[in-house]
Amino acid sequence: MEVTRSSLWALLAFAVFLRPARSQSSKPNIVFILADDLGWNDLSFHGSDEIPTPNIDALAFNGIVLNNLYTQPVCTPSRVALMTGKYPIKLGMQGPPTYGAEPNGLPLSEKLLPEYLRELGYTTRAIGKWHLGFYKQAYTPTRRGFDSHFGYYTGYVSYYDYILQDVYQNFGEFQGFDMRRNDTIAWDVVGKYATDVFTDEAVRLIKEQPANRPLFMYLAHVAVHTGNRGKYLEAPQSEVNKFNHILDPNRRIYAAMVSKLDESVGRVVEALTEKNMLQNTIIVFMSDNGSPSFDSSGRNFRPEAGVTANWGSNFPYRGIKNTLWEGGVKSASFIWAPYFQENPRVSKQLMHITDWLPTLYSAAGGNPGFLPKNLDGIDQWTSLTLNLPSQRNFVLLNIDEKQRYAGILKDNWKLIVGSTANGTLDGFFGATRPRTPYNATAVLFSPAGRALAKLSDSLPFATAGFGPMSGVRELLAMRYESTVRCNPSAAGPRTQSPCPAGEACLFDLVADPCETNNVAKKYVAVSGQLYEALKYYRRLLVPQTNRPFDPAANPARFNNTWSSWMY
């Protein structure tokens, strides 16, 4: 009987949700929530007992947990990949993040995800971080396909004053305010907590969305990126007080930042429910890369790598942000939709952040055949909806020709050549201990959990035997499956790389998800195949376009605000 129900569900999903032509009112709303520098081990749906994330967990356990989704190792390249559907190496943007005084941006020749969706009739809204260039106004969000943007242009801001402080070797410190409503400076947000401010905007826009137009909302939080010197971590004290079980004071504040992010997700789901939009909405949640984690000494800055830690945790994965280890490029992520809620699961389907452009375009009713043929992203919509094998076998993690490191995946095999910062980031960082028992009931009765339970009763395709993760036993079973288990301490010193200096590393990620055993010499043929694939992509690489910093960008020239300075 169960097989019959599953088959009926697959056919129904295909018939109802994969039709190529839809009216605008029936196109699904798409809410894409992008966290910044969030660690794999910072969400309780992945097995962590330190920071409860009940709203995020509720969506994850009622959708598809994407346990095999990869990103780029740092901020700007991940956003390039998301918005273009292309590997950053093809655009010269595979290197470090774009700095505030750098006259650089995502090439104007590229058509972005919101432009594709706007052609399908979508209202397109951007909230929060941009980080794809602003030195000319042509590079800013409202010139790249978004109907509106409320947020900041640079890589990060502090959480209450919205200031970015950048230090440049030849020019000293540039300091300026960076928050806008479209082209107007938003001074009124000063003193208000950034995660709340961005959530308020998301809720407002959902409430004002016309019923006859689908919505694409890109909610790119500053959370949980570090802020400026002297105030790396910020959260309301009332939230920090909830985490007294965490002894490290920095990790405690960080936990509060994650908790506010979780609260934001719950508020967005509630707003969609109140607007009667949730039953026709797709929600994607992911982190742009891994956390720049902390080590056992509590060290928070590694000048040799240009990394400022946020006290997040990617454990038990090796590595941190700015590396090609799993801790740097494996994203904590899921996708939720009403039809996934009827058959939730943990997915091992191989995906890359570039896949979201063709996948969401297809989900929106667009014909993927009309997309450019040179995209690296692959339409995974049918695979996700019908639980079919992934449409890709290869993922290029990155090639950085300046730092001389590269990485690539094929199925369960991963090849890494070279390392970041002379191997100082190759270890296991951010280990945490269980602190509190997991509260499955809190997930079920969170704002998101209650909204999903209510929605399940009203779904037109609800069938006996299907429904949300309404029982604690089912929820815990899915959590168990979402949790990565390995013993990285068995690999030797926590800071030691398994790769001899200058040699390639090959890992079997099914047998060894935490990259402790280099099998390059054992599987020479596999290593050779992946190395040849890297050579192929190396021929397609456009040299990095990071440009010399420009003193004309100094915010002091623009009433102490970060602003476009070229025309």
Side-chain angles (χ1 to χ4, degrees), residues 71 149 226 287 341 364 372 384 481 504:
T71 68
H149 173 235
T226 49
S287 179
Q341 179 165 316
L384 289 171
E481 189 179 355

Side-chain angles (χ1 to χ4, degrees), residues 394 408-415 505-508 519-534:
F394 281 93
I408 194 168
L409 287 160
K410 182 182 185 296
D411 300 322
N412 57 302
W413 299 103
K414 178 177 179 180
L415 183 75
C505 259
L506 180 71
F507 300 100
D508 179 349
V519 295
K521 293 181 179 178
K522 183 177 180 180
Y523 298 99
V524 176
V526 176
S527 300
Q529 182 187 25
L530 289 176
Y531 193 76
E532 288 301 313
L534 274 179

Side-chain angles (χ1 to χ4, degrees), residues 51-128:
I51 308 174
T53 51
N55 291 287
I56 291 173
D57 290 15
L59 283 171
F61 293 145
N62 281 280
I64 303 175
V65 176
L66 301 172
N67 259 20
N68 211 17
L69 172 67
Y70 287 86
T71 68
Q72 300 302 122
V74 290
C75 309
T76 298
S78 285
R79 286 161 171 77
V80 168
L82 170 65
M83 289 294 169
T84 65
K86 294 181 179 180
Y87 291 136
I89 64 159
K90 294 185 177 180
L91 302 171
M93 302 200 74
Q94 64 271 21
T98 301
Y99 288 84
E102 183 182 348
N104 196 13
L106 179 55
L108 299 178
S109 58
E110 297 303 312
K111 185 174 180 179
L112 307 190
L113 174 60
E115 296 179 274
Y116 288 106
L117 293 178
R118 192 153 67 176
E119 290 177 353
L120 295 178
Y122 277 74
T123 301
T124 56
R125 305 293 192 187
I127 302 170

Side-chain angles (χ1 to χ4, degrees), residues 31-35 59 217-221 261 264-265 268 283-287:
V31 177
F32 198 105
I33 304 173
L34 189 64
L59 283 171
M217 177 175 288
Y218 174 57
L219 176 53
H221 279 286
L261 179 64
S264 170
V265 171
V268 168
I283 300 174
V284 177
F285 178 94
M286 66 176 293
S287 179

Side-chain angles (χ1 to χ4, degrees), residues 344-409:
R345 69 181 191 276
V346 177
S347 168
K348 302 294 176 60
Q349 292 153 307
L350 182 61
M351 291 185 65
H352 186 254
I353 190 171
T354 54
D355 294 343
W356 286 123
L357 189 153
T359 298
L360 295 177
Y361 183 77
S362 179
N367 185 341
F370 294 158
L371 294 173
K373 305 303 180 187
N374 62 347
L375 296 187
D376 297 296
I378 296 173
D379 176 15
Q380 302 274 17
W381 186 241
T382 301
S383 295
L384 289 171
T385 304
L386 300 183
N387 195 12
L388 300 174
S390 171
Q391 294 300 297
R392 66 158 68 240
N393 340 72
F394 281 93
V395 167
L396 176 67
L397 296 174
N398 201 28
I399 301 174
D400 190 315
E401 77 282 13
K402 290 187 176 181
Q403 298 296 322
R404 301 184 64 80
Y405 71 84
I408 194 168
L409 287 160

